[in-house]
Amino acid sequence: MNDQLTWIDRIIDATGWHHEPEGGAGWGQVEAELGVALPGDFKELCRRLVPGTFMAHLDLLRPTADHNSTSLLGWWNSIRHWVSEHDDSAAGLYAPYELYEPDTGSGLIEWGHDSAGGGYYWLTDRSMEPERWPVLARHDPPHPWHRFDMSTTEFVYRMLADPELKSFSMATPTWRPFYLPYWQPLPTTPEEWNALGDPNGEN
């Protein structure tokens, strides 16, 4: 866990986030319904950050839908229901993978999505430690899947700070990463956007 907490600290440092954690309850009910424990580093990252988005782009799925955040369990259930109500072509959208089901103990669980339709998943396997689950990511279908054999928090950090992260980096040479909490409205002018990403500014 210590190595993964290091990635959380890097995310906090990179974004300049310096507010106190806000709760973090609710994962027990989520895990009970899923029938599997979720990665501890992801749960800790959600605890350290209030609901919001990274760079007004990446949104993490939360244990509850408080503050207009998206519930991980609600999202998982809505996708399952949508697939079950359509023909096999709906399930084929996730090929060669399948959605996670408690009775199989394996498959895709989405943990985040972005403003451009991209989805971020765990390739869940109840037979291994959740911190070892690979991250699967793709832009809106039918774009191909990309697999990343790293922890969730390392992947989030590299999205923010690593320009070489294949296809999913948000890093730019002129903007610093930022975190936009639920209470802060979206900027409406270029000047406000530039202030958020100002390398010399503060959140």
Side-chain angles (χ1 to χ4, degrees):
M1 187 66 175
N2 288 337
D3 288 343
Q4 286 141 3
L5 284 174
T6 299
W7 292 113
I8 294 174
D9 292 336
R10 291 182 184 182
I11 291 168
I12 299 298
D13 290 343
T15 58
W17 182 255
H18 45 70
H19 298 274
E20 289 299 314
E22 186 175 287
W27 287 115
Q29 180 181 348
V30 174
E31 292 173 329
E33 185 162 339
L34 291 172
V36 69
L38 299 176
D41 65 317
F42 177 79
K43 293 184 289 185
E44 176 64 12
L45 179 61
C46 288
R47 189 190 73 83
R48 295 277 294 273
L49 300 172
V50 301
T53 59
F54 290 99
M55 300 181 74
H57 181 65
L58 174 64
D59 186 17
L60 306 181
L61 301 184
R62 301 277 175 160
T64 67
D66 296 341
H67 309 304
N68 295 321
S69 59
T70 304
S71 160
L72 185 147
L73 196 57
W75 189 259
W76 173 70
N77 275 317
S78 67
I79 292 175
R80 291 168 70 223
H81 292 156
W82 180 81
V83 169
S84 69
E85 291 173 359
H86 293 74
D87 56 25
D88 291 341
S89 63
L93 289 175
Y94 298 94
Y97 307 103
E98 296 181 353
L99 295 177
Y100 171 85
E101 291 292 340
D103 59 346
T104 63
S106 62
L108 298 173
I109 296 177
E110 188 167 356
W111 56 260
H113 42 234
D114 63 40
S115 59
Y120 305 89
Y121 301 78
W122 293 301
L123 185 55
T124 307
D125 184 346
R126 200 158 51 207
S127 69
M128 68 169 58
E129 296 178 358
E131 282 75 19
R132 294 176 53 209
W133 296 343
V135 170
L136 290 176
R138 68 172 176 185
H139 300 292
D140 199 25
H143 290 281
W145 291 101
H146 297 266
R147 175 174 170 144
F148 300 89
D149 289 297
M150 60 182 69
S151 70
T152 316
T153 48
E154 179 179 355
F155 179 79
V156 171
Y157 173 77
R158 294 194 182 281
M159 282 188 73
L160 296 170
D162 183 357
E164 297 185 1
L165 182 71
K166 185 177 181 180
S167 298
F168 297 97
S169 176
M170 295 185 282
T172 71
T174 56
W175 264 32
R176 66 164 185 168
F178 61 85
Y179 190 74
L180 196 67
Y182 69 89
W183 65 70
Q184 188 171 337
L186 282 173
T188 57
T189 67
E191 291 76 16
E192 290 174 338
W193 281 111
N194 289 335
L196 273 178
D198 182 356
N200 300 312
E202 292 186 1
N203 288 337

